[in-house]
């Protein structure tokens, strides 16, 4: 089968590789759609921290935001999965450590991550093998575009939950990329007053098109009381700004990751009695995201600017935007093209 392989920093190509076989407890999925995200770009450029810690190494096969149809079952897998449209949890814990037993497999020290960590092949390929225990079934109301947006939606939903919003609370989201916009969309369903801060006016247009009136750049940000702030950016200076902006006894949620170390002053955290929460992975938010997409309360499809074939994936990772792409921050890959 055809699969995208990153062979080194700045180098990727489509190769013919052996198709996966469903081991006991696994299924094989024919991949319909895959989203490219910042983690994939960092794996391509060589900046991803796992490449330096030894949790990832070249050559590697990326792709962790995906959906597809189950076409083969390994021994011990329930026959009802065959033919189902699915996505899956990216985080694959060892299953037997104390963290996994407590339902915290996403921080298992020995975990694999699909397309990211410990050599588990990703979904930028025609087929993917994945443990059946990680699967989430997709209802018919979720198309391929939404199906490949479940994983980032899970991260965003966890951030919204950690913000502990009540109806009428004022939320500020820092960052208008995919996660920031998903946080805004999901928070709006909870009755929050949602504002977003982006880098410049062109990046704010889609947020306005999605119905958000409170859309700002840093210089134009009004002096309002922010009950919660979610940092969904990749800027090293914004974690500290989030802490500066949130009201006393408010909540700050960090779901974005900067490419360089960021710093906060814990005196500000303590003296103002602020709660700060970090979010890694969408694992616990996948089911809720599927529900929100399926019932129509959140339509994330405008976030996808274009869908291209596997041969175009390396160019997108290198920063080339497809011709005719819309304003959304997300590019999708259809491996069947």
């Amino acid at each position: 089968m055809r699969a995208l392989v990153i062979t080194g920093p700045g180098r990727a190509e489509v190769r013919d590789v052996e198709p996966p076989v469903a081991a006991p407890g696994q299924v094989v999925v024919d991949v319909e759609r895959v989203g490219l995200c910042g983690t994939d770009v960092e794996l391509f450029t060589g900046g991803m921290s796992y490449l330096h810690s030894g949790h990832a190494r070249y050559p590697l096969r990326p792709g962790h935001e995906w959906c597809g149809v189950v076409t083969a079952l390994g021994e011990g897998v329930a026959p009802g999965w065959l033919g189902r449209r699915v996505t899956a949890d990216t985080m694959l814990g060892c299953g037997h450590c104390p963290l996994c037993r407590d339902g915290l497999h996403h921080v298992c020290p020995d975990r694999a991550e699909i397309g990211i960590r410990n050599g588990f092949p990703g979904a930028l390929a025609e087929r993917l093998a994945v443990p059946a225990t990680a699967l989430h079934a997709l209802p018919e109301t979720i198309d391929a575009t939404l199906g490949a947006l479940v994983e980032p939606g899970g991260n965003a939903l966890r951030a919204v939950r950690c913000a502990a919003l009540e109806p009428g609370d004022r939320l500020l989201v820092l960052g208008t990329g995919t996660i920031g916009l998903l946080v805004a969309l999901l928070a709006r369903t909870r009755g929050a007053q949602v504002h977003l801060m982006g880098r410049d006016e062109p990046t704010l247009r889609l947020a306005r098109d999605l119905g958000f009136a409170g859309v700002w750049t840093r210089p134009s940000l009004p002096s309002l009381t922010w009950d919660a702030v979610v940092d969904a950016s990749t800027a090293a200076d914004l974690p500290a700004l989030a802490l500066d902006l949130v009201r006393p006894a408010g909540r700050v949620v960090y779901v974005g990751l900067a490419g360089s170390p960021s710093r906060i002053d814990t005196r500000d955290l303590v003296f103002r009695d602020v709660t700060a929460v970090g979010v890694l992975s969408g694992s616990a938010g996948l089911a809720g995201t599927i529900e929100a997409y399926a019932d129509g309360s959140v339509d994330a499809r405008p976030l996808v600017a274009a869908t291209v074939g596997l041969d175009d994936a390396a160019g997108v990772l290198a920063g080339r935007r497809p011709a005719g792409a819309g304003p959304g921050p997300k590019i999708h890959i259809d491996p069947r093209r």
Side-chain angles (χ1 to χ4, degrees), residues 6 34-45 48 62-66 90 113-116 124 148-149 151-153 155 177-179 182 234 257 313 316-319 329-333:
I6 301 176
V34 191
L36 298 179
C37 86
T39 298
D40 301 313
V41 173
E42 288 187 343
L43 289 168
F44 176 75
T45 63
M48 210 281 176
H64 60 280
E65 303 177 2
W66 59 273
T90 297
E113 297 178 20
I114 295 174
I116 302 173
L124 278 166
L149 286 166
E151 195 278 340
N155 283 272
T178 300
I179 298 297
L182 285 167
T234 57
L257 283 174
V316 175
L317 291 174
K330 180 67 66 178
I331 304 296
H332 275 181
I333 305 297

Side-chain angles (χ1 to χ4, degrees), residues 34-244:
V34 191
L36 298 179
C37 86
T39 298
D40 301 313
V41 173
E42 288 187 343
L43 289 168
F44 176 75
T45 63
M48 210 281 176
S49 61
Y50 288 168
L51 292 167
H52 305 287
S53 67
H55 292 302
R57 58 181 54 88
Y58 300 120
L60 59 86
R61 285 167 45 190
H64 60 280
E65 303 177 2
W66 59 273
C67 68
V69 177
V70 176
T71 54
L73 308 179
E75 181 183 350
V77 176
W81 282 115
L82 192 62
R84 296 293 300 273
R85 294 184 67 252
V86 297
T87 187
D89 194 340
T90 297
M91 305 303 212
L92 308 177
C94 72
H96 53 75
C97 72
L99 288 167
C100 285
R101 292 199 300 270
D102 287 343
L104 300 172
H105 63 281
H106 64 289
V107 288
C108 168
D110 296 323
R111 70 186 180 277
E113 297 178 20
I114 295 174
I116 302 173
R117 178 180 162 122
N118 284 348
F120 201 100
L124 278 166
E126 293 175 328
R127 297 180 188 87
L128 171 71
V130 64
T133 53
L135 294 176
H136 286 259
L138 298 176
E140 291 183 1
T141 50
I142 293 183
D143 61 13
T145 300
L146 285 173
L149 286 166
V150 169
E151 195 278 340
N155 283 272
L157 180 56
R158 286 197 62 216
V160 171
R161 289 172 176 169
C162 289
L165 298 164
E166 297 291 339
D169 280 356
R170 188 179 289 121
L171 168 69
L172 177 63
V173 182
L174 304 181
T176 52
T178 300
I179 298 297
L181 291 171
L182 285 167
V183 167
L185 289 168
L186 288 158
R188 186 166 62 184
T189 69
R190 299 189 169 213
Q193 302 178 49
V194 181
H195 294 245
L196 298 101
M197 190 187 87
R199 290 191 305 270
D200 48 44
E201 283 300 324
T203 66
L204 304 181
R205 290 173 189 157
L206 179 57
R208 292 194 180 97
D209 290 343
L210 292 170
F212 296 101
V215 182
W216 318 97
T217 60
R218 190 164 180 174
S220 69
L221 186 69
S223 297
L224 297 173
T225 298
W226 308 108
D227 299 295
V229 179
V230 173
D231 176 21
S233 76
T234 57
D237 61 325
L238 291 193
L241 179 65
L243 185 55
D244 289 341

